[in-house]
Amino acid sequence: MKDFIIPWGDDRDLGTPASKSDKTVTLSIDGFDITVPEGTSVMRASALAGIDIPKLCASDNLEAFGSCRLCVVEIEGRRGTPASCTTPVAEGMVVHTQSKKVAKIRKGVMELYISDHPLDCLTCAANGDCELQDQAGAVGLRDVRYTTGENHYDPTGTGALSMADAKRREGPGNHHYIPKDDSNPYFTYDPAKCIVCSRCVRACEEVQGTFALTIEGRGFESRVSAGAVDDSFLTSDCVSCGACVQACPTATLQEKSVIEMGTPTRSVITTCAYCGVGCSFKAEMKGDQLVRMTPYKHGKANRGHSCVKGRFAYGYATHQDRILSPMIRESVDLPWQEVSWDEALTFAANRMRGLQEKYGKKSIGVITSSRCTNEETYLVQKLTRAVFGNNNTDTCARVCHSPTGYGLGQTYGTSAGTQDFDSVEETDCALIIGANPTDGHPVFASRLKKRIRQGAKLIVIDPRRTDMVKSNHIEADHHLPLRPGTNVAIVTALAHVIVTENLIDEAYIRTRCDWDEYLAYADFVSDKRHSPEAVEMLTGVPAADVRAAARTYATAGKSSIYYGLGVTEHSQGSTTVIGIANLAMLTGNVGINGAGVNPLRGQNNVQGSCDMGSFPHELPGYRHVKNADVREVFENAWGVPIDPEPGLRIPNMLDAAVDGTFKGLYCQGEDILQSDPDTKHVAAGLAAMECVIVHDLFLNETANYAHVFLPGSSFLEKDGTFTNAERRINRVRKVMAPMNGYADWEVTQLLANAMGAGWTYTHPSQIMDEIAATTPSFANVNYELLEERGSIQWPCNDDNPDGTPLMHVDGFVRGKGRLIVTEYVATDEKTGPRFPLLLTTGRILSQYNVGAQTRRTKNSVWHGEDLLEVHPHDAEVRGINEGDFVKLASRSGETTLRATITDRVSPGVVYTTFHHPDTQANVITTDFSDWATNCPEYKVTAVQVSPSNGPTDWQEDYNAQAAASRRILPAAE
Amino acid sequence: MKTEKMVYMANQIATFFSSQPTDEKAEGVAAHINDFWEPRMREQLLAHCEAGGEGLSDLALDACKLVKQPA
């Protein structure tokens, strides 16, 4: 890729990874002196000096391997021609990278490679993007002296110069020839083009940590192999992260999109729109067509790695299901009518204003999207506060990480993770609780697994035996498979062990926390009822395991905690977050690199949507609306008074709708009917509203109850920023024009102006400037700075002009850290004779959230439907076999899906995903919620499972209603 | 919302604060409700208390006295 729009970031491959040494070494390379960190390879030192040594098996995201022999150099005083990739620099070393001797060796090596390579370069998919081609040029190969003999590329065995040539010839088969494997939906493996450099195998091991690939055979028989003999790439352990494709120097592993479209001609750095890791990607383009997404090596969250979703699953953005024309209808039993933007916006604005006149100012509200940009989210909450005149704004973070906001806010003073992802490279012990990063946050999981393979300790607290507990080359030191709903009991028991066994960091607590509060807390937590032995009956976890885990966490050195929705989505979600914060304070594990407390955010911009004042009780920057001084800032900026009372949260909106006092909703980029709990209640709430405006890419489930549909734009079609789980503000860049005509921020502005707002933004950078002007933690953030730095972590202001990778370094943001008592309260969602099993829910790797995006990609080959995981014991007593249709029933509702029998779940626990609307797992979940934030208790539902013949009546009714609701009449001529 | 649900939510908050080592438990409950409950929810709670507060825990009832009447 030669056409960068970004000035920073040299994309050159320096051959071997950077050394982290503080000591430096000076050497001479081709007569130039260069000083580099000790441990740097001669190859890298040379590249840093601007001299590229030819190479094939080396790449700077992989450890040096020394197999291709193309990078040989001469070093004065040393015998032979060492490989520069595996030779570390030494003080005073004198290196010659080019001489007659090395030139001859390199040419000979390349000649051998080429003698077993099909020379169909002009029709090869990697033409123009092939390192073998480049290096053949670099070494000056002009002739191949070997006659064609035994080879890997010719299917006929008669010898041929190209595949086209080979196809024409007849003869006995070539047993070395292996046909192309195109089983993976996104890339092909063509063994005929493989030079066995092992970069793909090493990338799978070192970068991704899956170990799906290997080199089988020896010598001339050596071939890359995925899985066992009969496996294809699709059936192997391969998770389709793309690391091997990225590493491959030839067309052996090649994106199908490049095969179809040709090589891209320009690229733009942007940010993935899937999970909260927030990986940086290069959108590689040809005109306005996206050819491929490749992970950006200078992306600070992902460091050049990717997962199957960000790397490949972008086809939804141009899927035929996208709705591109605005639509309206009088009532939800009528078909949709396509109309002009003007007509749709006027209709929406009149209805919303009409509702306010009839039912009061507070009868309408908004839901901001954690999928959209900061700028778009900011505008939507501004719409409700400045134009609607109330605080009825909430976001999907309500149903995922709102307890993080409360818990970390109360204990530390900020609602955010304490570290950057880089710090995982320094952790000595990682405690994962209620998170499944290999599936939910795959790129972070790869970075964590790398650290675990280097010897860091690992504790996993999860009802299921996830891949973090045990998978290739990693195994948790402790797995605490607790019963769903007992997080607080386990976390408090860990604290009990730390305090009663005096594993605390007293000096830290005395300086950083309120000592009196600590004494009260220690008194509480030391009580025998919190001991691992006392809570064993509740949690189902052997006391000795809990004690051992607590000792490991407290004594390993720098211990970090990463947690997910298995913590927050409970009746005591906020209490568990507080308990986690306590553990880190007790052991002095906040404010240093490698330690900390880090929520793994579900969606790309959960952090940002919370930062931007999406919650009904706080303005941007987590400042309560009751504070007159904060309101004044926005009243001055917006020229309107701001309501000092908190607004409705999503569940409250639905309750108020059923009560008849909440009548209108503008819902941007969220599908509450599928994603929120107790589907019947959500449907009843939506059905009771008189104006539901859905602003989305697709006719989602919520749109079944909508009166206005405003087409949305994809992340490829707009400028803006996303903020990831590290508080990192990353740029999203427009690479193609919005198919629907407008970026989402423009749509919100049009709606606001139709209601009389008079907004005049012409670019999202102006919205960011307004955010910076009103929000102290963003004070110095602007697009120029983001262009210059690539990304920046808030707080970024005069006190922290470079942003803040690590928080709470010299003290907590709130002053003294607060240790808060965490009494366990059993959830009222209890098992009994009718519903004897506990259902918990989660994600899998290939699908994402409600599946609106990933179901519209080829990712469905890995996961075509939601499955119910049932333990063999529970299956046997119910007469359930693998693949059977089963009915899943709770007190809220019932649905059917297929069962899979596995001991990943404990007896008494069943598990499913919620990616498919046909299943509607949320018809099962209840309306219990977190005591502090109303975050729904998705993770615990008492259920019964029984054999079934097919869909429930409810599923059939739902599908009929959905089908009727999706009818579209074309626009009038 | 349904009265039972509202009572349940208020009691959940009271249960948390009842475990805290402070003399100001009712203040804690009321502050939480004032900060996070929208006026029509607080109105419903206050009306329910007025009518006897059936189902509310003692601490939740105490806290109601400190819950702000929406303007």
Side-chain angles (χ1 to χ4, degrees):
Chain A
M1 293 303 85
K2 281 119 192 156
D3 181 12
F4 288 105
I5 64 158
I6 308 302
W8 37 264
D10 175 356
D11 232 14
R12 274 194 320 151
D13 188 330
L14 303 178
T16 62
S19 164
K20 288 184 179 171
S21 177
D22 301 332
K23 289 190 196 149
T24 58
V25 168
T26 300
L27 70 159
S28 160
I29 299 176
D30 294 339
F32 299 99
D33 282 347
I34 176 153
T35 302
V36 293
E38 190 177 63
T40 301
S41 70
V42 170
M43 175 182 279
R44 187 180 177 93
S46 177
L48 289 168
I51 299 167
D52 284 333
I53 299 173
K55 60 181 168 52
L56 279 173
C57 73
S59 177
D60 59 10
N61 67 339
L62 302 171
E63 293 302 322
F65 198 54
S67 86
C68 77
R69 313 308 297 176
L70 206 60
C71 70
V72 291
V73 292
E74 290 195 79
I75 298 172
E76 286 183 16
R78 296 205 185 180
R79 293 175 58 191
T81 49
S84 62
C85 64
T86 51
T87 306
V89 293
E91 189 64 42
M93 189 182 251
V94 179
V95 179
H96 300 284
T97 70
Q98 197 65 29
S99 67
K100 277 190 177 162
K101 191 175 174 187
V102 297
K104 192 176 172 195
I105 294 172
R106 286 178 193 155
K107 206 182 271 189
V109 167
M110 186 54 82
E111 194 176 359
L112 283 165
Y113 273 118
I114 298 301
S115 72
D116 189 13
H117 195 81
L119 297 180
D120 60 346
C121 299
L122 287 180
T123 52
C124 176
N127 188 12
D129 188 21
C130 172
E131 292 180 40
L132 187 65
Q133 203 175 40
D134 295 346
Q135 299 301 333
V139 303
L141 184 69
R142 298 289 172 260
D143 185 25
V144 176
R145 290 166 295 169
Y146 306 102
T147 52
T148 305
E150 245 189 318
N151 65 69
H152 293 102
Y153 59 83
D154 174 12
T156 66
T158 57
L161 284 174
S162 70
M163 293 305 290
D165 190 18
K167 277 179 202 158
R168 281 202 305 275
R169 300 186 183 194
E170 291 177 356
N174 174 1
H175 72 281
H176 290 304
Y177 173 78
I178 303 169
K180 204 187 244 192
D181 173 355
D182 58 5
S183 60
N184 184 292
Y186 298 118
F187 62 86
T188 61
Y189 166 51
D190 185 354
K193 293 187 169 167
C194 179
I195 59 169
V196 202
C197 63
S198 297
R199 274 163 69 164
C200 55
V201 176
R202 288 145 62 209
C204 191
E205 292 176 7
E206 294 175 30
V207 179
Q208 165 57 26
T210 292
F211 294 78
L213 302 181
T214 188
I215 302 288
E216 64 171 17
R218 303 177 61 167
F220 196 69
E221 304 290 325
S222 302
R223 311 309 289 267
V224 172
S225 168
V229 177
D230 295 331
D231 272 325
S232 65
F233 264 74
L234 188 63
T235 61
S236 73
D237 286 348
C238 168
V239 292
S240 202
C241 68
C244 57
V245 182
Q246 196 67 7
C248 182
T250 68
T252 308
L253 290 158
Q254 183 75 56
E255 296 92 347
K256 286 183 174 175
S257 59
V258 173
I259 295 174
E260 283 164 21
M261 302 170 73
T263 44
T265 54
R266 67 184 173 101
S267 71
V268 180
I269 311 299
T270 191
T271 305
C272 179
Y274 280 111
C275 79
V277 176
C279 297
S280 298
F281 276 88
K282 279 161 60 177
E284 300 192 5
M285 309 293 297
K286 202 184 189 57
D288 68 349
Q289 309 271 303
L290 179 60
V291 178
R292 64 179 170 189
M293 296 283 278
T294 53
Y296 182 49
K297 74 186 286 187
H298 298 296
K300 289 175 185 148
N302 55 318
R303 301 287 176 192
H305 191 35
S306 59
C307 81
V308 61
K309 293 187 284 268
R311 178 76 154 87
F312 295 117
Y314 51 78
Y316 71 88
T318 48
H319 195 275
Q320 60 183 16
D321 284 357
R322 261 188 77 175
I323 304 288
L324 302 175
S325 300
M327 305 190 295
I328 58 171
R329 57 184 168 191
E330 277 299 318
S331 61
V332 299
D333 55 333
L334 296 172
W336 285 106
Q337 178 76 52
E338 288 184 351
V339 294
S340 67
W341 278 98
D342 269 354
E343 191 175 347
L345 292 162
T346 306
F347 179 90
N350 288 345
R351 275 222 170 179
M352 290 300 244
R353 281 295 187 222
L355 291 173
Q356 285 192 300
E357 280 161 25
K358 192 168 167 192
Y359 299 103
K361 204 197 263 186
K362 296 188 178 185
S363 64
I364 64 174
V366 300
I367 297 178
T368 75
S369 178
S370 298
R371 321 300 325 281
C372 287
T373 63
N374 285 316
E375 293 76 3
E376 288 162 344
T377 302
Y378 177 87
L379 282 196
V380 176
Q381 62 89 33
K382 179 175 174 178
L383 173 69
T384 202
R385 294 197 155 111
V387 183
F388 296 178
N390 62 47
N391 285 311
N392 292 333
T393 169
D394 208 357
T395 181
C396 26
R398 170 67 50 210
V399 301
C400 69
H401 266 295
S402 52
T404 291
Y406 182 82
L408 295 185
Q410 291 289 313
T411 48
Y412 298 165
T414 60
S415 168
T418 60
Q419 317 287 122
D420 59 4
F421 287 139
D422 280 350
S423 82
V424 77
E425 292 170 10
E426 292 180 37
T427 196
D428 297 311
C429 170
L431 191 165
I432 312 290
I433 172 167
N436 186 12
T438 57
D439 289 40
H441 304 88
V443 169
F444 167 71
S446 289
R447 301 188 67 178
L448 172 64
K449 287 196 292 186
K450 187 170 192 172
R451 184 63 187 158
I452 301 301
R453 290 197 303 275
Q454 290 168 349
K457 301 281 185 196
L458 175 63
I459 302 165
V460 178
I461 305 179
D462 200 289
R464 293 171 70 227
R465 197 182 65 241
T466 61
D467 285 350
M468 282 313 299
V469 175
K470 191 173 185 339
S471 54
N472 297 337
H473 295 261
I474 59 153
E475 184 166 9
D477 297 275
H478 312 278
H479 176 214
L480 311 182
L482 76 178
R483 275 172 68 78
T486 60
N487 286 338
V488 171
I490 277 283
V491 169
T492 308
L494 291 170
H496 172 92
V497 177
I498 290 167
V499 170
T500 57
E501 297 188 8
N502 198 27
L503 305 174
I504 60 164
D505 184 340
E506 185 179 328
Y508 183 93
I509 300 169
R510 280 189 182 276
T511 52
R512 297 294 201 89
C513 306
D514 185 313
W515 185 250
D516 287 336
E517 254 170 14
Y518 166 72
L519 291 177
Y521 174 79
D523 187 48
F524 159 80
V525 85
S526 302
D527 194 303
K528 275 213 168 64
R529 70 199 159 92
H530 300 304
S531 70
E533 292 73 18
V535 299
E536 184 173 332
M537 286 296 285
L538 299 168
T539 63
V541 182
D545 294 354
V546 178
R547 284 195 181 271
R551 290 167 193 149
T552 299
Y553 175 76
T555 62
K558 289 175 282 190
S559 290
S560 52
I561 301 178
Y562 293 89
Y563 71 91
L565 307 185
V567 160
T568 53
E569 291 175 344
H570 288 276
S571 287
Q572 279 199 291
S574 291
T575 316
T576 309
V577 174
I578 290 169
I580 286 170
N582 289 343
L583 289 178
M585 286 189 282
L586 288 174
T587 53
N589 273 312
V590 186
I592 49 171
N593 241 344
V597 173
N598 298 284
L600 293 172
R601 305 284 185 169
Q603 311 207 55
N604 52 330
N605 203 32
V606 173
Q607 181 71 51
S609 73
C610 297
D611 300 342
M612 291 300 105
S614 294
F615 286 142
H617 66 281
E618 58 196 14
L619 287 154
Y622 303 98
R623 293 167 295 167
H624 204 285
V625 292
K626 70 184 173 188
N627 298 316
D629 54 335
V630 180
R631 285 201 311 278
E632 196 186 331
V633 171
F634 291 91
E635 285 169 345
N636 289 338
W638 298 345
V640 290
I642 290 172
D643 186 356
E645 286 282 11
L648 293 166
R649 301 169 285 193
I650 293 173
N652 311 146
M653 290 180 190
L654 295 166
D655 284 328
V658 171
D659 291 347
T661 65
F662 187 81
K663 290 290 189 179
L665 177 69
Y666 169 44
C667 182
Q668 182 181 64
E670 186 179 1
D671 192 0
I672 56 171
L673 185 58
Q674 193 182 342
S675 66
D676 285 30
D678 195 0
T679 309
K680 288 178 182 171
H681 181 62
V682 179
L686 288 168
M689 295 183 203
E690 293 177 20
C691 183
V692 175
I693 305 169
V694 166
H695 179 182
D696 208 287
L697 296 177
F698 305 106
L699 269 180
N700 61 17
E701 304 306 307
T702 304
N704 297 346
Y705 292 92
H707 307 80
V708 180
F709 185 91
L710 302 176
S713 53
S714 83
F715 75 113
L716 298 166
E717 300 168 352
K718 57 195 182 186
D719 281 301
T721 56
F722 291 153
T723 307
N724 77 352
E726 312 165 282
R727 296 170 275 104
R728 183 182 303 285
I729 306 162
N730 270 315
R731 275 284 269 118
V732 178
R733 292 187 174 87
K734 179 174 164 178
V735 301
M736 58 179 77
M739 290 170 69
N740 56 324
Y742 294 108
D744 292 328
W745 62 271
E746 293 175 290
V747 175
T748 302
Q749 173 160 279
L750 287 168
L751 178 61
N753 287 347
M755 295 180 73
W759 294 350
T760 56
Y761 303 104
T762 57
H763 192 271
S765 62
Q766 297 159 349
I767 306 172
M768 181 54 85
D769 292 344
E770 184 174 315
I771 295 164
T774 51
T775 309
S777 51
F778 280 69
N780 289 11
V781 178
N782 59 57
Y783 276 36
E784 290 73 39
L785 186 69
L786 289 168
E787 292 297 323
E788 184 189 314
R789 303 289 177 89
S791 67
I792 200 103
Q793 288 169 276
W794 68 256
C796 175
N797 43 34
D798 288 344
D799 294 338
N800 310 280
D802 297 322
T804 313
L806 178 61
M807 290 195 90
H808 315 296
V809 175
D810 300 316
F812 287 99
V813 168
R814 70 177 303 282
K816 293 279 188 187
R818 279 183 71 200
L819 286 147
I820 300 174
V821 164
T822 55
E823 186 75 64
Y824 170 67
V825 181
T827 172
D828 284 312
E829 182 64 17
K830 290 184 168 60
T831 55
R834 282 178 65 213
F835 304 113
L837 302 171
L838 285 179
L839 169 74
T840 187
T841 57
R843 281 184 190 177
I844 70 150
L845 171 66
S846 55
Q847 298 284 359
Y848 179 75
N849 210 323
V850 297
Q853 296 150 291
T854 46
R855 279 186 284 108
R856 292 181 172 96
T857 69
K858 290 169 183 163
N859 275 25
S860 290
V861 303
W862 287 283
H863 185 83
E865 60 184 323
D866 293 320
L867 296 173
L868 184 72
E869 289 187 2
V870 187
H871 188 271
H873 173 78
D874 294 322
E876 191 182 351
V877 299
R878 287 168 177 78
I880 296 166
N881 298 308
E882 178 70 26
D884 281 358
F885 247 118
V886 293
K887 186 173 83 174
L888 177 67
S890 75
R891 65 184 171 83
S892 287
E894 55 190 46
T895 188
T896 56
L897 69 173
R898 288 188 194 279
T900 184
I901 316 296
T902 173
D903 63 359
R904 284 169 80 100
V905 289
S906 304
V909 176
V910 292
Y911 166 88
T912 190
T913 49
F914 58 100
H915 302 306
H916 291 271
D918 292 342
T919 318
Q920 286 280 11
N922 280 323
V923 77
I924 304 302
T925 51
T926 69
D927 68 352
F928 281 130
S929 67
D930 174 47
W931 67 268
T933 66
N934 269 168
C935 178
E937 187 165 59
Y938 288 106
K939 299 295 183 182
V940 192
T941 311
V943 295
Q944 178 59 294
V945 177
S946 53
S948 162
N949 291 324
T952 60
D953 292 347
W954 184 85
Q955 279 171 297
E956 285 179 353
D957 292 349
Y958 181 92
N959 286 335
Q961 193 272 344
S965 174
R966 290 196 178 119
R967 290 169 298 157
I968 300 174
L969 296 177
E973 289 295 322
Chain B
M1 79 180 76
K2 284 186 186 149
T3 306
E4 307 86 75
K5 187 169 171 183
M6 179 199 65
V7 166
Y8 187 85
M9 280 165 49
N11 285 344
Q12 270 185 298
I13 297 166
T15 302
F16 176 81
F17 284 96
S18 70
S19 70
Q20 297 303 306
T22 164
D23 296 332
E24 296 173 347
K25 294 181 171 64
E27 287 81 352
V29 177
H32 190 91
I33 289 174
N34 287 332
D35 277 355
F36 297 104
W37 284 31
E38 204 256 2
R40 67 196 97 170
M41 295 165 66
R42 298 209 307 272
E43 252 164 40
Q44 191 184 351
L45 177 66
L46 292 172
H48 183 68
C49 287
E50 197 92 332
E54 190 186 341
L56 286 170
S57 67
D58 290 346
L59 179 56
L61 273 173
D62 276 352
C64 282
K65 293 168 197 151
L66 304 168
V67 168
K68 252 187 350 199
Q69 183 76 46

